[in-house]
């Protein structure tokens, strides 16, 4: 359902998250796998949605099997064919966020409905150490359509009546500009990637405000927060969780970001995946104990 930012997001009294894929694994975990990538399970009551699937089906299927996020969630319940229904949102089309999706959709356990921006299915590249590397989704949209339903949208979309996929994020400040080392080929030649497909999930938590779950935040974490406020109409920000892509931030850009976060006052900031270790240290130093680094296997009740 495309909600057009009309304020249809239902307020809920609790939401639970489990990080299914991250570059780091929670200390003390047993049998949990990690890899360079990100995936998060988001649950309210018996309803579940996934944001991203990491880079391999091996990791996400293993980590889903390690335990229910809630007691008997709908993604575990089978239909007449023995398959559970599963809503999946893609934050963007890079391999480390989408690579596990084909295996997840074709394993026979789930009937997946995949929500994505149209740009997620184009070829993507990154220039790294003077080499151009293909970082695209490692399969075609046509291949995915054989095993999953795909819903494409450029605007805000309700995954559930309590969970909104952001749609294209407006760039509302001067310091969060797209990185210059990323490229896209939409069929008319390779160009710098504006990351129009960079999406996040928003939940409105009763009495607390927005919970924002990001994939890589290529749009900029402040742009995403401000976009979430606009499309939901909710001004308070309770938690921001996910990849923040600050790994190459300059000291000046980091300082501006920290000051902007102070103004928006999230109670919880959980950087994951592509944030970068130095950036995590800087966020903790600048914002204090509200900064809690995330890792595979972490479960968060909000």
């Amino acid at each position: 359902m495309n909600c057009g930012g009309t304020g249809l997001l239902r307020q809920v009294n609790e939401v639970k998250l489990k990080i299914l894929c991250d570059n780091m694994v929670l200390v003390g975990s047993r049998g949990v796998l990690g890899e360079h990538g990100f995936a998060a399970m988001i649950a309210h009551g018996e309803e579940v949605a996934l944001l991203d699937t990491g880079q391999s089906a091996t990791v996400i299927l293993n980590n889903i099997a390690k335990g229910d996020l809630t007691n008997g969630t709908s993604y575990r319940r089978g239909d007449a064919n023995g398959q559970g229904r599963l809503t999946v949102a893609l934050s963007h089309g890079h391999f480390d966020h989408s690579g596990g999706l084909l295996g997840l959709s074709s394993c026979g356990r789930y009937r997946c409905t995949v929500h994505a921006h149209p740009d997620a299915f184009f070829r993507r590249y990154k220039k790294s150490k003077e080499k151009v590397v293909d970082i695209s989704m490692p399969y075609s949209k046509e291949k995915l359509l054989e095993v999953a339903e795909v819903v494409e949208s450029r605007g805000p979309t309700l995954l559930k009546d309590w969970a909104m996929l952001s749609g294209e994020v407006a760039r509302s400040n001067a310091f969060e500009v797209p990185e210059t080392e990323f490229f896209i080929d939409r069929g008319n030649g390779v160009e710098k990637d504006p990351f129009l497909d960079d999406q996040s999930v928003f939940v409105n938590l009763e009495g607390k405000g927005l919970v924002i779950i990001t994939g890589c935040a290529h749009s900029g974490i402040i742009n995403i927060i401000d976009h979430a406020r606009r499309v939901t109409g909710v001004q308070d920000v309770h938690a921001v969780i996910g990849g923040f892509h600050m790994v190459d931030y300059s000291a000046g850009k980091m300082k501006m970001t920290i000051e902007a976060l102070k103004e928006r006052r999230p109670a919880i900031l959980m950087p994951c995946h592509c944030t970068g270790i130095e950036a995590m240290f800087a966020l903790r130093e600048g914002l204090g104990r509200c900064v809690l680094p995330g890792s595979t296997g972490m479960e968060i009740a909000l």
Side-chain angles (χ1 to χ4, degrees), residues 134-146:
D134 190 326
I135 57 172
S136 310
M137 190 180 297
Y139 47 83
S140 67
K141 181 169 69 172
E142 289 70 27
K143 193 70 176 176
L144 181 61
L145 283 168
E146 294 177 5

Side-chain angles (χ1 to χ4, degrees), residues 3-301:
C3 57
T6 56
L8 295 179
L9 185 63
R10 178 168 68 89
Q11 192 177 69
V12 295
N13 59 5
E14 69 171 359
V15 65
K16 295 180 180 179
L17 280 81
K18 184 172 184 177
I19 300 176
L20 293 175
C21 178
D22 186 69
N23 302 24
M24 297 186 291
V25 174
L26 183 66
V27 173
S29 297
R30 294 191 178 189
V32 173
L33 302 178
E35 64 184 353
H36 174 74
F38 186 75
M41 187 182 292
I42 309 158
H44 169 65
E46 294 189 345
E47 293 191 314
V48 164
L50 259 61
L51 177 65
D52 293 339
T53 60
Q55 65 169 289
S56 72
T58 299
V59 169
I60 194 165
L61 287 171
N62 176 83
N63 293 346
I64 286 175
K66 287 301 171 183
D68 288 334
L69 181 61
T70 62
N71 296 321
T73 50
S74 58
Y75 83 96
R76 301 284 295 196
R77 293 178 178 174
D79 58 12
N81 299 316
Q83 293 178 308
R85 298 174 182 270
L86 185 58
T87 298
V88 184
L90 287 182
S91 66
H92 60 302
H94 286 174
F95 75 100
D96 50 332
H97 294 259
S98 63
L101 179 56
L102 187 64
L104 179 70
S105 301
S106 60
C107 71
R109 302 178 204 172
Y110 310 105
R111 292 176 58 200
C112 293
T113 299
V114 181
H115 294 263
H117 187 284
D119 281 11
F121 298 100
F122 289 119
R123 304 308 298 175
R124 314 298 277 271
Y125 304 94
K126 181 180 180 180
K127 188 175 182 180
S128 177
K129 297 179 180 178
E130 302 306 314
K131 292 183 179 180
V132 176
V133 181
D134 190 326
I135 57 172
S136 310
M137 190 180 297
Y139 47 83
S140 67
K141 181 169 69 172
E142 289 70 27
K143 193 70 176 176
L144 181 61
L145 283 168
E146 294 177 5
V147 292
E149 178 187 3
V150 176
V151 180
E152 296 180 62
S153 178
R154 296 180 181 274
T157 303
L158 288 179
L159 304 171
K160 308 286 184 181
D161 66 354
W162 52 269
M164 178 186 288
L165 188 61
S166 66
E168 293 182 6
V169 174
R171 313 304 162 93
S172 55
N173 65 63
F175 64 92
E176 289 181 316
V177 295
E179 301 95 335
T180 58
E181 70 270 26
F182 291 98
F183 301 88
I184 187 170
D185 185 353
R186 298 188 179 92
N188 298 313
V190 177
E191 58 184 299
K192 288 185 179 179
D193 197 340
F195 284 108
L196 298 181
D197 64 328
D198 179 58
Q199 300 197 82
S200 302
V201 173
F202 309 146
V203 178
N204 183 9
L205 201 56
E206 184 178 357
K208 294 181 178 179
L210 292 170
V211 176
I212 299 171
I213 306 101
T214 68
C216 259
H218 286 291
S219 303
I221 198 64
I222 304 304
N223 282 330
I224 292 169
I225 292 172
D226 291 349
H227 178 77
R229 288 164 135 185
R230 280 191 298 272
V231 300
T232 64
V234 180
Q235 297 305 301
D236 291 336
V237 180
H238 180 61
V240 186
I241 298 166
F244 297 169
H245 213 276
M246 297 176 176
V247 65
D248 294 322
Y249 269 27
S250 65
K253 188 173 182 179
M254 180 60 70
K255 182 179 180 180
M256 286 186 283
T257 301
I258 289 172
E259 290 305 311
L261 286 167
K262 286 179 179 178
E263 292 175 7
R264 288 150 182 81
R265 297 185 299 175
I268 298 169
L269 200 67
M270 185 170 285
C272 304
H273 177 44
C274 56
T275 306
I277 296 297
E278 294 298 327
M280 289 184 188
F281 289 154
L283 289 169
R284 184 64 181 264
E285 183 178 359
L287 295 166
R289 297 181 66 84
C290 75
V291 179
L292 306 167
S295 55
T296 308
M298 287 186 72
E299 297 189 24
I300 308 108

